[in-house]
Amino acid sequence: MNRLRGAGRALPYSAGMTQHPVPDQRRPANDGPKAAARNRAALVAAAREIYAEHGLDAPLSAIARRAGVGQGVLYRHFPDRAAVTTAVLEENVREVEQAAAAEDATLAGVLGVLTWHLKESAAFIGLLHADGSDHRSAVRAHALALSRRVEHALRAHLPDAGHRLATADDLMLAVAMVSGAATGPSHEERERRALAAWRLLGVEVGPVRPFHG
């Protein structure tokens, strides 16, 4: 009887030693709003990296893996691919807009900031090639809207006449041509090729760097 009672007392202890927490207990989401904010930040950072490497068509599963969360967590923060795309590219576009809005802004300076983003991100290149032809794609629709914001920022610094990019469609056609040239295995090579394309177009470009207000 003593052995049985001892075993009875020992059972909960041994079960506690061998019991494994269920997956939900290991998820940061159980920490509440702070974990949700951390997850979202991790997803945006991961999406920026994945899109920069592979462009806008990269699988969402790769973004979730890079962020260290499940796809269910990704969809809780971003209901579809368009939402992820907007969250990532908004920062690129906003920086170009900020460069254009600076007190001492010039077209050459804004093009330098734009070229920096081209060399850094395949997704940003994809945005500038959005033409709205695929109306079924919410991603392309969002990209087109963001691309138009870039165009507006650049046009604010075009002379009324005389500049080689002043004609109606020449500006974004030139940007698309340069972005198409910005290829290569390294940031340095992509920058070199983009600047070479601008030179061939006869367009002056300022220092290739991110905008610091």
Side-chain angles (χ1 to χ4, degrees):
M1 290 292 291
N2 288 339
R3 284 198 301 273
L4 288 172
R5 283 197 299 272
R9 287 194 300 273
L11 182 59
Y13 176 78
S14 63
M17 289 293 290
T18 58
Q19 186 178 21
H20 297 290
V22 297
D24 284 346
Q25 291 174 322
R26 294 197 295 268
R27 289 177 184 163
N30 277 355
D31 294 340
K34 289 183 179 179
R38 284 198 304 270
N39 285 343
R40 189 185 191 283
L43 284 164
V44 171
R48 184 168 290 112
E49 293 173 4
I50 293 292
Y51 281 162
E53 296 164 10
H54 304 291
L56 294 176
D57 295 325
L60 295 182
S61 57
I63 294 171
R65 282 196 302 272
R66 181 73 62 93
V69 301
Q71 279 190 257
V73 174
L74 184 151
Y75 283 116
R76 279 202 294 274
H77 290 281
F78 303 105
D80 53 35
R81 179 184 290 273
V84 181
T85 301
T86 302
V88 170
L89 293 175
E90 177 70 33
E91 183 175 322
N92 301 80
V93 173
R94 186 166 55 246
E95 195 164 305
V96 174
E97 290 175 327
Q98 289 171 341
E103 187 175 346
D104 58 348
T106 63
L107 179 62
V110 180
L111 288 176
V113 172
L114 181 140
T115 302
W116 186 86
H117 285 285
L118 289 179
K119 81 177 179 88
E120 291 291 317
S121 176
F124 191 66
I125 290 175
L127 177 149
L128 295 175
H129 283 269
D131 61 4
S133 59
D134 184 1
H135 296 290
R136 297 167 300 175
S137 170
V139 174
R140 296 299 167 189
H142 280 260
L144 181 61
L146 292 171
S147 177
R148 284 173 175 159
R149 284 171 54 184
V150 172
E151 180 179 6
H152 180 76
L154 294 175
R155 284 201 180 280
H157 296 283
L158 277 176
D160 291 338
H163 194 279
R164 64 179 59 245
L165 298 183
T167 306
D169 295 326
D170 286 359
L171 174 62
M172 294 311 286
L173 178 59
V175 169
M177 291 169 65
V178 172
S179 63
T183 59
S186 67
H187 294 302
E188 294 75 17
E189 177 65 11
R190 293 194 288 274
E191 179 178 334
R192 186 191 69 77
R193 290 175 62 89
L195 290 175
W198 284 123
R199 283 196 302 273
L200 287 171
L201 291 169
V203 176
E204 179 188 357
V205 176
V208 178
R209 61 191 179 192
F211 175 72
H212 297 294

